[in-house]
Amino acid sequence: IKNKQDAGGIQGLSQEEVNERVKKCQVNTAVQAPTKTFGEIVRSNSLTYFNFVFLFLATLLFLVHAYKDMSFLPLIFINSLIGILQELRAKQILDKLSVLNTPKIKVVREAKEQEIWTHKLVLDDIIILEAGAQIPADAVVVSGEILVNEALLTGESDEIKKTTGDELMSGSFVVSGKCYAKLSRVGAESYISQLTLKAKAIKTTEQSEILKSLNNFVRLAGILIIPIGLLMFGQQYLIHATPIKMSIQAMIAAIVGMIPEGLFLLSSVTLVLSAVRLAQKKVLVHDMHCIE
């Protein structure tokens, strides 16, 4: 806390009231969205249904000494590795995601202006907002007039006039003017915290049409390969009296052809290349704007 100055008649909270709100956990602490750990990412991409199927098939080939027929294993390893790297990259980006970039803010306490860390603000604090400041928590204007930009939250770049009684959304920026605002929602209850949680949440239920179709196809293939494999082995070994090694080789050759491991790899590579191209286009557009 520094720069204590007279607040021009505005009282603000007393230290006793601040301590009371701290005890009630009504503090503007940053939210931490739960994300997958490294171990969870590795397990989710390694311990899959089809990987277990491939492991079982590889075990059968190993037992009958058909080592040359195990050439499908490197593709499965590459497929799992790509999935792990993609999720780790996404986790790294999400962990760094922070919409609030203002570390300190002016606040009125005990009729004095003070500059404190935003994470030490409490409910009902009176903050001072001036041009260039980012609103650290939801608030209501109690005195003064400002223009705010909510483009970071709503995508609209228009400047919005805020006067006494108007609500201010956390995360928006003050373009001009000066006002005193009373915090109405702090911490996890603020708008910016809810937005951050939604941004960091990985929703597996929300998928594109191509991923939905791919998952449905894979699910159907996973159900059918087991009975088909058993029927083919029985036909070769029991009906045609084919040696067990050749029966297993024939069955696995047919099953591996049915399992769309190449489709997974192709989809992963396509998504990676698409992300790279989008990033390159974004950089190109940014450079063109800079030149203009």
Side-chain angles (χ1 to χ4, degrees):
I1 299 175
K2 62 178 182 179
N3 300 334
K4 290 191 176 183
Q5 300 175 1
D6 184 73
I10 296 180
Q11 184 67 30
L13 296 178
S14 65
Q15 189 59 46
E16 183 180 349
E17 290 173 324
V18 171
N19 294 337
E20 182 181 350
R21 284 161 176 74
V22 171
K23 290 181 181 179
K24 294 180 179 179
C25 297
Q26 296 173 332
V27 186
N28 193 44
T29 52
V31 294
Q32 296 294 332
T35 57
K36 284 185 177 181
T37 63
F38 175 78
E40 290 174 339
I41 291 175
V42 172
R43 286 195 297 271
S44 64
N45 287 276
S46 301
L47 305 180
T48 63
Y49 173 76
F50 282 110
N51 282 358
F52 281 120
V53 171
F54 282 119
L55 180 61
F56 176 73
L57 297 180
T59 303
L60 292 179
L61 291 173
F62 179 81
L63 292 175
V64 297
H65 306 290
Y67 307 116
K68 293 183 180 180
D69 295 326
M70 299 169 64
S71 57
F72 57 84
L73 290 179
L75 184 60
I76 307 308
F77 174 77
I78 294 173
N79 205 24
S80 299
L81 182 61
I82 290 177
I84 292 172
L85 293 178
Q86 285 179 327
E87 281 206 47
L88 287 176
R89 177 59 178 166
K91 172 181 169 59
Q92 184 182 20
I93 294 174
L94 291 174
D95 287 343
K96 291 181 179 179
L97 178 63
S98 177
V99 185
L100 283 177
N101 298 309
T102 302
K104 291 186 177 182
I105 194 75
K106 288 183 179 179
V107 64
V108 179
R109 289 181 179 177
E110 297 182 337
K112 298 290 183 180
E113 291 186 9
Q114 308 171 14
E115 190 177 41
I116 67 172
W117 297 100
T118 54
H119 66 268
K120 292 186 177 181
L121 292 171
V122 298
L123 186 67
D124 298 327
D125 253 332
I126 302 295
I127 59 174
I128 303 170
L129 298 172
E130 297 176 300
Q134 187 180 26
I135 302 172
D138 296 347
V140 177
V141 179
V142 296
S143 176
E145 181 180 300
I146 58 173
L147 290 177
V148 299
N149 187 317
E150 299 177 349
L152 186 63
L153 309 176
T154 63
E156 298 292 336
S157 58
D158 296 336
E159 297 175 358
I160 304 173
K161 183 179 180 180
K162 300 288 185 178
T163 58
T164 303
D166 290 338
E167 292 187 359
L168 301 173
M169 289 194 298
S170 52
S172 52
F173 287 88
V174 180
V175 179
S176 63
K178 178 180 179 179
C179 78
Y180 293 86
K182 183 177 182 180
L183 300 186
S184 56
R185 288 184 294 271
V186 297
E189 296 183 357
S190 66
Y191 181 84
I192 198 64
S193 295
Q194 296 296 321
L195 187 65
T196 302
L197 288 172
K198 289 180 180 180
K200 290 187 176 183
I202 301 177
K203 298 182 179 180
T204 56
T205 56
E206 296 182 4
Q207 297 176 337
S208 63
E209 288 299 322
I210 187 172
L211 287 179
K212 287 180 180 178
S213 301
L214 178 61
N215 287 334
N216 290 334
F217 174 74
V218 169
R219 190 177 296 111
L220 178 61
I223 295 174
L224 294 178
I225 57 173
I226 294 178
I228 291 177
L230 292 175
L231 288 174
M232 294 185 66
F233 176 78
Q235 181 185 25
Q236 292 291 327
Y237 184 68
L238 299 176
I239 298 177
H240 298 292
T242 306
I244 188 169
K245 179 178 180 179
M246 296 182 61
S247 298
I248 290 178
Q249 287 177 308
M251 176 195 70
I252 292 177
I255 290 180
V256 169
M258 292 179 59
I259 298 176
E261 76 279 3
L263 182 59
F264 277 114
L265 180 59
L266 178 62
S267 301
S268 299
V269 172
T270 301
L271 291 173
V272 171
L273 292 177
S274 300
V276 171
R277 289 185 179 181
L278 285 174
Q280 290 174 342
K281 288 183 179 180
K282 184 176 180 181
V283 172
L284 178 60
V285 172
H286 179 268
D287 292 340
M288 292 178 62
H289 282 300
C290 291
I291 293 173
E292 292 175 358

